[in-house]
């Protein structure tokens, strides 16, 4: 498989071998991501960032990934200040920006926007979130984190929080199924993983268990992936408080866990994880957000054709 | 398909035989009105059309639509396939069945169906044609949007463009 000009739209486009290759490439670039080594791999290359929705981590990690590899970044800037505000279509914007860039990172509120963009231009499109659709670079960095901090093959992982609406969770479950993971899903009934996805996982012979008790799940896992529960999903604030406190990760809870257990969170966290957990060896959410840099460096270098 | 006419088919023929035109047979019972809608009948056509609803066929009930002086185009046939995957299209010339075609489920359709996801880019003001991959499971058509990946299995007739 050649990566040059490949679009990164959905995890479903990637086989395990391809994912492994991307993660291996990220590992080689990690010293550069940490600023320990210098690189000019992407010297002379230009990456455009088109974010039609707010982002801190994804946008900044793409920027730093590009800069660390010696490339330059163009930013759309705020939507209000651009011609989008004048009613320019995404289709036109993307074709204009193609002329300025070697690759385009796109975040847009509509599902399928990245797919449409990829049909219109010949530079690679990297999907940084299309509405409730996909966010594949997040999944790549999640997989990389699991691999570096624990192990990926057959990992025993619990995923807790909003499993219904969280787009990162759906792609992550799919990707984990390629690695024969044992998955425990922890959520209140209202926020369970959609049935189709569970059905899909079981069809791939993945062991999936559902529970609403984090205490039950914590005993026998190697990785705990916590996601944010959005207050807006609950009409009744009391209901939200009850659900949120049931899933709260505290030092007391962690006494029952394997000492090697790693806790991940895509961030931003609101109050899913007690700050006292940050100082334990379990916490790896800040490493996780750093790993976004080598992973995005790898993707950029591969799709721009400077690495094979 | 047996060459012998069964009694029901003879009874169908009590509808005036047509000299030239198309008979769409083996339409899933209840879908004939949607077939008419696809063909723009009666708005866009002066031709005489007869419809049989709930005729008994070899595999249970079916509908039949007979249109005089008209042969269907590929787009019309694609749409009919989605709501009546077992339909058989008979071209009638000089009162005889001149050609008989089983509809073939297309692998992909473009610009035929509107996505059910209101937040899909194909439902926005962007210049993009809806695209679906088509599969069938146990005689049921399953459409998956190429953009947002949402799946449509029910009431496809209501989503036709
Ligand atoms: N001249 C005609 N006028 C109207 N309907 C016809 C005519 N010839 C055949 N049909 C109808 O077209 C369909 C296909 O005809 P035929 O090939 O004879 O039957 P089958 O497909 O069941 O073997 C049947 O529903 C039949 O009633
Ligand atoms: Zn769609």
């Amino acid at each position: 498989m050649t990566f040059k000009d490949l679009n990164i739209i959905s995890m479903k486009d990637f086989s395990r071998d391809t994912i492994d290759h991307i993660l291996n490439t990220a590992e080689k670039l990690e010293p550069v991501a940490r600023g320990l080594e210098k690189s000019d791999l992407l010297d002379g290359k230009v990456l455009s960032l088109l974010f039609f929705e707010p982002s801190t981590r994804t946008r900044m990690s793409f920027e730093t990934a590009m800069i660390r590899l010696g490339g330059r970044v163009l930013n759309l800037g705020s939507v209000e200040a651009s011609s989008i505000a004048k009613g320019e279509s995404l289709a036109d914007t993307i074709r204009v920006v193609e002329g300025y860039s070697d690759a385009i990172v796109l975040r847009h509120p509509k599902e399928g926007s990245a797919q449409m963009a990829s049909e219109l231009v010949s530079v690679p499109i990297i999907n940084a979130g299309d509405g409730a659709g996909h966010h594949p670079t997040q999944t790549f960095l999640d997989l990389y984190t699991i691999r570096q901090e624990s192990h990926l093959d057959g990992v025993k992982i619990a995923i807790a929080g909003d499993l219904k609406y969280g787009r990162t969770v759906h792609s992550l479950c799919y990707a984990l199924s390629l690695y024969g993971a044992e998955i425990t899903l922890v959520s209140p009934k209202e926020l369970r993983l959609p049935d189709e996805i569970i059905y899909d996982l079981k069809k791939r012979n993945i062991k999936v268990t559902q529970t609403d008790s984090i205490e039950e799940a914590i005993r026998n896992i190697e990785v705990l992936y916590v996601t944010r529960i959005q207050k807006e999903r609950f009409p009744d604030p009391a209901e939200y408080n009850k659900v949120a406190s049931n899933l709260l990760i505290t030092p007391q809870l962690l006494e029952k866990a394997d000492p090697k257990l790693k806790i991940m969170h895509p961030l931003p966290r609101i109050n899913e994880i007690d700050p006292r957990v940050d100082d334990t060896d379990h916490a790896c959410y800040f490493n996780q957000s750093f790993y976004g840099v080598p992973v995005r460096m790898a993707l950029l270098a591969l799709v721009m054709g400077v690495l094979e | 398909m047996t060459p012998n006419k069964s009694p029901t088919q003879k009874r169908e023929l009590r509808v005036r035989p047509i000299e030239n035109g198309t008979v769409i047979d083996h339409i899933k019972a209840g879908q004939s009105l949607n077939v008419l809608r696809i063909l723009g009948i009666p708005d866009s056509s002066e031709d005489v059309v007869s419809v049989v609803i709930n005729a008994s066929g070899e595999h249970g009930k079916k509908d039949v639509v007979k249109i005089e002086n008209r042969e269907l185009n590929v787009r019309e046939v694609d749409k009919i396939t989605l709501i009546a995957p077992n339909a058989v299209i008979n071209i009638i010339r000089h009162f005889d069945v001149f050609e008989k075609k089983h509809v073939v489920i297309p692998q992909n359709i473009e610009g035929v169906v509107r996505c059910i996801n209101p937040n899909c880019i194909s439902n926005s003001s962007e210049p993009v044609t809806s695209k679906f991959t088509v599969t069938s499971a146990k005689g049921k058509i399953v459409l998956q949007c190429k953009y947002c990946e949402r799946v449509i299995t029910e009431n496809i007739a209501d989503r036709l463009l």
Side-chain angles (χ1 to χ4, degrees):
Chain A
M1 156 162 215
T2 159
F3 283 91
K4 188 169 169 7
D5 295 331
L6 187 75
N7 298 302
I8 314 285
I9 310 274
S10 157
M11 278 322 280
K12 299 231 160 123
D13 303 332
F14 294 91
S15 68
R16 176 171 167 163
D17 281 351
T18 313
I19 297 171
D20 284 339
H21 182 68
I22 292 167
L23 303 186
N24 291 338
T25 307
E27 193 171 63
K28 288 190 198 119
L29 293 172
E30 222 189 277
V32 182
R34 292 187 187 281
L36 303 172
E37 286 174 21
K38 274 191 150 186
S39 167
D40 55 4
L41 266 181
L42 293 181
D43 183 25
K45 301 281 188 197
V46 177
L47 176 69
S48 286
L49 302 180
L50 302 188
F51 280 73
F52 292 82
E53 280 188 327
S55 159
T56 309
R57 276 158 298 280
T58 305
R59 189 217 287 261
M60 287 187 70
S61 63
F62 267 113
E63 285 190 43
T64 192
M66 198 62 192
I67 294 167
R68 294 271 197 213
L69 290 175
R72 297 286 194 104
V73 180
L74 286 184
N75 249 300
L76 170 72
S78 78
V79 170
E80 297 73 38
S82 69
S83 358
I84 316 296
K86 298 191 194 119
E88 186 172 44
S89 65
L90 172 63
D92 280 4
T93 307
I94 207 96
R95 283 176 287 192
V96 168
V97 172
E98 173 184 28
Y100 311 152
S101 359
D102 298 296
I104 299 173
V105 177
L106 176 68
R107 170 172 292 183
H108 191 274
K110 298 250 177 222
E111 285 98 69
S113 48
Q115 174 63 31
M116 181 193 79
S118 74
E119 291 170 4
L120 293 171
V121 299
S122 51
V123 299
I125 298 287
I126 301 177
N127 183 5
D130 59 334
H134 298 283
H135 186 9
T137 66
Q138 176 73 44
T139 306
F140 281 117
L141 83 86
D142 290 342
L143 294 174
Y144 187 74
T145 307
I146 297 169
R147 191 174 94 156
Q148 302 307 96
E149 300 281 326
S150 182
H151 70 104
L152 200 42
D153 212 358
V155 66
K156 290 189 202 150
I157 184 169
I159 307 177
D162 179 352
L163 310 185
K164 187 171 180 187
Y165 301 100
R167 64 181 163 201
T168 56
V169 172
H170 303 175
S171 307
L172 180 62
C173 284
Y174 167 78
L176 286 169
S177 76
L178 301 176
Y179 289 89
E182 273 179 39
I183 305 175
T184 306
L185 301 167
V186 192
S187 68
K189 283 194 182 57
E190 307 84 306
L191 295 177
R192 282 201 175 162
L193 198 67
D195 283 343
E196 323 72 276
I197 300 181
I198 294 183
Y199 174 79
D200 216 49
L201 291 171
K202 289 194 171 153
K203 225 169 49 189
R204 295 163 189 279
N205 286 323
I206 295 303
K207 220 177 124 194
V208 186
T209 326
Q210 297 197 74
T211 170
D212 51 17
S213 157
I214 188 80
E215 263 127 66
E216 205 176 284
I218 199 94
R219 291 167 198 279
N220 193 26
I221 50 169
E222 297 158 309
V223 175
L224 172 61
Y225 192 104
V226 185
T227 66
R228 191 153 51 99
I229 295 185
Q230 283 170 304
K231 239 189 192 129
E232 307 85 80
R233 305 270 182 229
F234 293 86
D236 178 1
E239 191 57 29
Y240 164 79
N241 288 334
K242 195 178 123 213
V243 163
S245 63
N246 274 344
L247 287 184
L248 186 67
I249 311 301
T250 60
Q252 296 89 298
L253 175 75
L254 291 169
E255 282 166 18
K256 304 185 186 98
D258 184 325
K260 290 216 287 287
L261 172 78
K262 295 294 173 186
I263 301 174
M264 296 169 64
H265 191 304
L267 304 180
R269 66 174 152 170
I270 306 303
N271 39 26
E272 298 84 20
I273 303 175
D274 186 321
R276 287 174 296 166
V277 174
D278 298 359
D279 303 325
T280 68
D281 287 339
H282 297 300
C284 77
Y285 21 94
F286 296 114
N287 289 353
Q288 183 183 358
S289 72
F290 160 73
Y291 289 139
V293 182
V295 164
R296 290 180 172 117
M297 286 166 78
L299 289 168
L300 292 171
L302 288 164
V303 302
M304 291 195 208
V306 301
L307 288 183
E308 297 249 307
Chain B
M1 219 64 53
T2 54
N4 301 333
K5 297 270 174 275
S6 68
T8 38
Q9 281 166 325
K10 285 214 183 82
R11 222 169 27 242
E12 274 170 47
L13 276 172
R14 270 194 224 144
V15 180
R16 180 164 67 100
I18 60 179
E19 183 172 354
N20 294 302
T22 302
V23 175
I24 310 166
D25 198 359
H26 302 284
I27 299 169
K28 194 170 155 201
Q31 291 297 327
S32 51
L33 298 179
N34 286 324
V35 169
L36 297 184
R37 198 161 67 171
I38 290 167
L39 300 177
I41 292 167
D43 298 350
S44 70
S45 139
E46 299 295 310
D47 304 314
V48 176
V49 176
S50 45
V51 178
V52 183
I53 295 177
N54 274 349
S56 22
E58 283 155 63
H59 312 282
K61 289 184 169 171
K62 64 168 185 179
D63 290 1
V64 185
V65 169
K66 307 186 183 192
I67 316 148
E68 289 186 30
N69 300 319
R70 175 154 169 193
E71 293 184 11
L72 310 184
N73 67 37
V74 183
R75 229 181 111 78
E76 291 166 334
V77 174
D78 271 359
K79 288 187 180 179
I80 291 172
T81 309
L82 298 181
I83 60 166
N86 299 317
V88 176
I89 298 183
N90 300 275
I91 297 174
I92 310 291
R93 291 195 188 153
H94 306 298
F95 295 105
D96 281 331
V97 175
F98 170 79
E99 201 186 336
K100 181 185 284 291
K101 282 185 290 198
H102 288 259
V103 299
V104 189
I105 297 170
Q107 286 185 330
N108 296 289
I109 49 168
E110 286 195 16
V112 175
V113 170
R114 182 183 297 287
C115 184
I116 42 173
N117 173 6
N119 203 42
C120 176
I121 195 80
S122 71
N123 280 327
S124 69
S125 55
E126 296 292 332
V128 56
T129 316
S130 82
K131 295 191 186 72
F132 289 84
T133 56
V134 187
T135 47
S136 75
K138 297 187 194 110
K140 237 187 145 172
I141 296 281
V142 180
L143 303 179
Q144 184 166 35
C145 175
K146 190 162 174 229
Y147 293 99
C148 73
E149 300 180 355
R150 276 277 270 276
V151 170
I152 311 182
T153 50
E154 304 296 331
N155 303 330
I156 292 172
D158 298 339
R159 318 251 11 125
L160 292 172
L161 284 164

